[in-house]
Amino acid sequence: MTGAARPGRDRRAVFLPPPPGSPRVSGAPRSTAVVGGGIAGLAAATALAERGVDVVLHEREAYLGGRVGGWPVELYDGTTATMSRGFHAFFRQYYNLRSLLSRTDSHLGRLTGLPDYPLRHSGGLHDSFRRVPRTPPLSALGFAALSPSFRPRDLIRMNPAAALPLLDVRVPQVYQRLDGVSAHDFLASLRFPQAARHLAFEVFSRSFFADPRQLSAAEMVLMFHIYFLGSAEGLLFDVPRDPFPTALWEPLRTHLYRHGATVRTSTPVEHVAPTADGAFTVVTGGQETRHDSVVLALDAPGLRALVARSPQLGDAAWRECIGRLRSAPPFLVSRLWLDRAVAAGRPGFLGTAGYGSLDNVSVLERWEGEAARWASRTGGSVVELHGYALPEDADREAETDGLIRQLRRVYPETRDAKILDARHEWRQDCPLFPVGGYGDRPAVHTPQPGLVLAGDLVRTDLPVALMERAATSGFLAANALLTAWGVRGHPLWTVPDRGRNRLLRALAGDRIRPGAR
């Protein structure tokens, strides 16, 4: 997947050729410090090291992967398990993330597909994407036809004119049209049935760990395009067969070593400063190292803090932009080791709505080898619960108890289960994409030559989001540096960059152009 070979089934996927240049760095050596070992930093480090750049990757935590990382914990019985920050779906349209993973797993055999993406509302409605056609617009029509949340009288009440922006989503035009509207207000304008709003749309909004009232409608509409109406890859997804470190990041660490990179975990960067001759000094643990360039691949709190500690970076306007970055509301991940198994028919992943703050339930032994071995040995289950967009002043113990209480509603067989062990992660470091915030979002390029940004908070002007935005931005950051050195960059792919149907695109363009009535 590192070349021009089509990465998926969608014949309309867009190929972005690599910037031209020499195959590798030649002449004077080039060095780059990559700050942050999440997906974006790993993508940038990999892309640079493969072209012969001397890369040093700095990661604050003891593990790689960032928000998709994992670390060992000791369970009640003295055995070791891997804890993480929760479930992540590796969708088939994550072309650039999958390209990164293919460096160490050419056929992506360490991923396995879940057979369904079920959604359940507390009112009794169930939806599923398993039988929905993958090719738009049949995907949308098929979902509406198969979904019990769409009834004929509800469809009559809908506002089709308000839905036209969904038919021709382009970047950055979608932000010009909808960034000033909240996802909540946009959904209200569609007059969707309430249950369908929860199951068909708000699942996308809450994927950003944000309340729909705080999230830009442009970001949610772009998500709908990427996963549903703009791509023929469908809404089913893959998950790693083993915990994130084993399946994904430790093999990539080895790949980096083979290309001469240095990986320093448990090494927070204290300070970055430009030098008089256009290089950079990076300070870690009181030690200074010199590099030709720097990639800052940090989450919003980490980027704000490092820039504040590095007053010579960028210019005043850029520094103020970084200082205004906001984090989404906190979220909670609870992983429970139960003394008995959940019912055999329960899916590996279930999206939920109407169950208090519970947003989804995972049964890890359905796909993850480590959890499956524990369940086989004990007869129990490893269950994970997510609660997104929680109040910042929420009582953590009460929220934890609430997730467990809702699990017992969703899967009644767990009511009598004993919790043998539990781990709870309360975090608040995902980026918030607020209403009207697109113009203030930092891009890959900065005012300072040799300094670039990467991460899911970075504006790319491409139809990507979440983990795929992180990977894409990492490759873009590396390409920016390689291009400056006359070295060939790396190719990229995206989902189609506009609506798929010419007639529908024309209709949408006519109705939403400025001044149209």
Side-chain angles (χ1 to χ4, degrees), residues 117-128 143-144 146-151 153-154 192-200 350-355 409-410:
Y117 184 173
L119 307 170
R120 175 173 164 181
H121 194 277
S122 61
L125 295 177
H126 293 74
D127 270 318
S128 165
F143 179 74
L146 294 169
S147 172
S149 58
F150 285 91
R151 298 168 297 182
R153 65 174 180 269
D154 294 323
F192 256 57
Q194 187 68 21
R197 283 178 56 181
H198 281 297
L199 292 175
L350 175 70
T352 59
Y355 290 95
R409 287 182 62 199
V410 177

Side-chain angles (χ1 to χ4, degrees), residues 462-477:
L462 294 173
V464 290
L466 301 174
M467 290 193 293
E468 179 68 351
R469 181 179 289 154
T472 302
S473 68
F475 283 115
L476 289 172

Side-chain angles (χ1 to χ4, degrees), residues 325-397:
L325 289 172
R326 297 170 58 189
S327 297
F331 65 94
L332 173 63
V333 175
S334 290
R335 186 174 295 186
L336 313 175
W337 285 262
L338 305 179
D339 71 341
R340 64 196 66 188
V342 299
R346 302 303 189 192
F349 176 84
L350 175 70
T352 59
Y355 290 95
S357 58
L358 180 68
D359 282 286
N360 56 63
V361 181
S362 301
V363 182
L364 270 69
E365 68 265 19
R366 296 287 188 264
W367 76 83
E368 188 191 90
E370 180 182 279
R373 291 188 291 274
W374 184 89
S376 176
R377 177 169 58 84
T378 64
S381 275
V382 185
V383 176
E384 186 176 274
L385 315 174
H386 281 205
Y388 301 145
L390 302 176
E392 296 197 23
D393 60 351
D395 182 291
R396 299 189 183 190
E397 184 175 349

Side-chain angles (χ1 to χ4, degrees), residues 66-87:
R67 295 197 292 271
V68 197
W71 58 94
V73 293
E74 184 176 325
L75 297 182
Y76 68 100
D77 58 359
T79 61
T80 300
T82 305
M83 184 57 189
S84 74
R85 295 164 47 118
F87 177 87

